[in-house]
Amino acid sequence: MVFFTGAGISAESGISTFRDPDGYWSKYDPMKLASPEGFKEDPELVLRWYAARRQLAGKAQPNPGHLAITQFQKLFPHSVVITQNVDGLHARAGNEPVWELHGNIHRQKCLKCAEEVAFNPDNPDGINYCACGGMLRPDVVWFGESLSISILNQAFDAVKSCSLLFTIGTSTQVYPAAQLPFEALNQGAFVIEVNPEPTPFSAKADLSLRDPVGKVLPNLYEEFYAALF
Ligand code: BJW
Ligand code: ZN
């Protein structure tokens, strides 16, 4: 079983999505805030935005959607979470394993040597430098940047051999991640989409459940459990 997730699974924890009518990209230019060019042009703006989101994510609590996945993973120990989210809520809900395709907002790395460096509590939302002299940046994947090849390969391998994939709370627009549910269908897996809104994947899904994940997933878990025991 694979749980492929996007920003929508954290919406009920109070974290904004990107492409909903009130999402980040309705207010901000993604190329200014989530691209290497934007960071080069105005690192302070980008760092302030990430620090605010990091703080919000740190205070947010996993919701019934995340927690239902923990239950599913207990029932099906080989199931994995493949997420585009950077907020760390899957791990905090006890989901395991969790593979983060787009990095994690609670880490930063050096632009020059790529080492992970701890946050500076005296300057949490400003420019900081690595011991090697390189500027520090959020350890997330921006537009035009490559995803970790090992995590991506792991994700495609899992999807190629799964029998059921849930695609949850993602607009299925950002590649290569958006390829995963299509890949699952191609190899014969049953694919269930959980999203209140249609996406470019909806017409292909075996089942499209148009409700918030916090409502759908706990109910589905109960049904699975009742069917098995
Ligand atoms: C609910 C809900 C509830 C609400 N319950 N559901 C043209 C064609 C194809 C590809 C490209 C192209 N031009 C450029 C590209 C490549 C580009 C791309 O895909 N662009 C498209 C947007 C067109 N991809 C890349 O650049 C990637 N890298 C790459 O391709 O490398 C190779 C390369 C190298 C060199 C040059 C060129 C290529 C990298 C992509 C990185 C994406 N980064 C971000 C920011 C991460 C850090 C951060 O968080 O700040 O990742 S952008 C943003 O989008 C974030 C997300 O992970 C990602 C996906 O968004 P997601 O999760 O789907 O959220 P939303 O908001 O879109 O959708 C939320 C959904 O939830 C909605 O459907 C709601 O209805 C639903 N929802 N409430 C259930 N309660
Ligand atoms: Zn360095």
Side-chain angles (χ1 to χ4, degrees):
M1 215 182 249
V2 169
F3 297 88
F4 171 57
T5 68
I9 196 167
S10 294
E12 290 161 79
S13 294
I15 296 180
S16 179
T17 63
F18 296 94
R19 294 171 187 79
D20 283 310
D22 58 347
Y24 284 126
W25 300 159
S26 70
K27 299 176 211 122
Y28 309 119
D29 178 351
M31 288 309 141
K32 289 209 161 96
L33 291 173
S35 78
E37 295 78 15
F39 185 64
K40 206 168 161 195
E41 199 177 298
D42 194 346
E44 279 167 327
L45 173 81
V46 174
L47 290 170
R48 266 202 312 277
W49 186 59
Y50 275 93
R53 287 178 57 206
R54 194 166 69 241
Q55 211 179 16
L56 186 71
K59 285 188 192 143
Q61 293 304 321
N63 65 58
H66 297 105
L67 297 169
I69 295 179
T70 311
Q71 301 288 89
F72 269 113
Q73 287 188 306
K74 280 188 192 143
L75 214 52
F76 301 96
H78 297 296
S79 54
V80 299
V81 175
I82 302 172
T83 189
Q84 299 166 86
N85 299 347
V86 298
D87 55 34
L89 286 181
H90 279 297
R92 282 178 49 210
N95 300 170
E96 158 74 25
V98 179
W99 300 336
E100 294 170 323
L101 295 172
H102 293 161
N104 190 305
I105 204 170
H106 302 289
R107 291 194 307 258
Q108 60 179 353
K109 66 179 181 186
C110 172
L111 264 180
K112 212 161 137 190
C113 72
E115 272 298 298
E116 184 185 346
V117 179
F119 287 100
N120 175 3
D122 297 328
N123 185 21
D125 60 358
I127 296 176
N128 289 286
Y129 293 91
C130 173
C132 83
M135 198 190 280
L136 300 177
R137 57 157 284 179
D139 190 0
V140 299
V141 181
W142 286 327
F143 285 111
E145 293 188 315
S146 300
L147 285 69
S148 151
I149 193 72
S150 58
I151 296 178
L152 196 59
N153 283 342
Q154 235 178 320
F156 274 92
D157 284 349
V159 164
K160 279 179 185 146
S161 63
C162 72
S163 47
L164 173 60
L165 181 139
F166 288 96
T167 177
I168 302 170
T170 176
S171 60
T172 329
Q173 287 184 34
V174 175
Y175 283 83
Q179 187 58 34
L180 289 167
F182 292 98
E183 199 67 40
L185 274 187
N186 288 345
Q187 62 83 359
F190 193 83
V191 181
I192 303 177
E193 180 176 68
V194 183
N195 196 319
E197 301 296 330
T199 76
F201 182 73
S202 303
K204 297 254 181 186
D206 291 301
L207 193 61
S208 188
L209 302 171
R210 297 269 169 87
D211 269 312
V213 56
K215 179 179 163 199
V216 170
L217 224 49
N219 286 344
L220 271 181
Y221 173 76
E222 292 303 326
E223 290 196 25
F224 264 81
Y225 192 87
L228 286 169
F229 302 104

